[in-house]
Amino acid sequence: MEEHRFHLSANWTGGRNSVGEISAGNLKTQISIPPEMDGPGIGTNPDEMLLGAAATCYIITLAAMLERRNIPVASLTQHSEGIVEVDKGVITYKKIIHRPNVVLKKECPTDQVEKVKQLAERAEKSCMISRAIQGNVEIGLEAIVGIEN
């Protein structure tokens, strides 16, 4: 079994509405509580970072699956949304919705559209981050697949 380790360093001085810094490999940024939760909104925050981890893992997994099957892709874009619920002071990350948009090249047979939709669903189940948060955060998928004009 192979094991990979990732490390993050954090520095936080002050109280709730202070600003900190994190550093992990190529990720170096300030952190604070988002303005939606009455924070200063400087840098990023845990809500954006969880969404970013889930979204990047998903799109990379989908791209790898498409490549392995030699499916000719003209473009692969995505919008992801995180939904956080605040109920009586308890904050819960409820749901992440991925909305990938896959445009296949003209020469791609039309029967590939359905295959790509299935791969989009399989990528969500295969993604390491999706598996890590499974059972805690609902993951939704609204894939759009088409062929370029």
Side-chain angles (χ1 to χ4, degrees), residues 68-135:
R68 276 195 300 271
R69 285 160 184 81
N70 295 314
I71 296 174
V73 176
S75 71
L76 172 57
T77 59
Q78 176 178 308
H79 175 81
S80 293
E81 177 181 10
I83 300 168
V84 176
E85 179 181 271
V86 181
D87 185 21
K88 298 177 185 155
V90 177
I91 302 168
T92 306
Y93 214 116
K94 297 297 285 184
K95 186 174 186 175
I96 292 174
I97 305 166
H98 297 306
R99 295 181 178 100
N101 188 342
V102 184
V103 178
L104 304 174
K105 291 187 177 177
K106 289 178 193 177
E107 65 269 15
C108 191
T110 56
D111 66 340
Q112 292 284 60
V113 169
E114 196 55 43
K115 184 177 190 175
V116 171
K117 287 181 182 177
Q118 291 171 356
L119 286 175
E121 289 182 28
R122 191 174 307 149
E124 188 275 310
K125 291 172 180 55
S126 301
C127 167
M128 173 181 66
I129 302 298
S130 294
R131 290 192 327 264
I133 62 176
Q134 185 177 23

Side-chain angles (χ1 to χ4, degrees), residues 18-34:
S18 293
V19 177
E21 300 90 29
I22 59 169
S23 176
N26 291 322
L27 174 63
K28 292 171 182 30
T29 188
Q30 291 183 302
I31 55 170
S32 71
I33 295 174

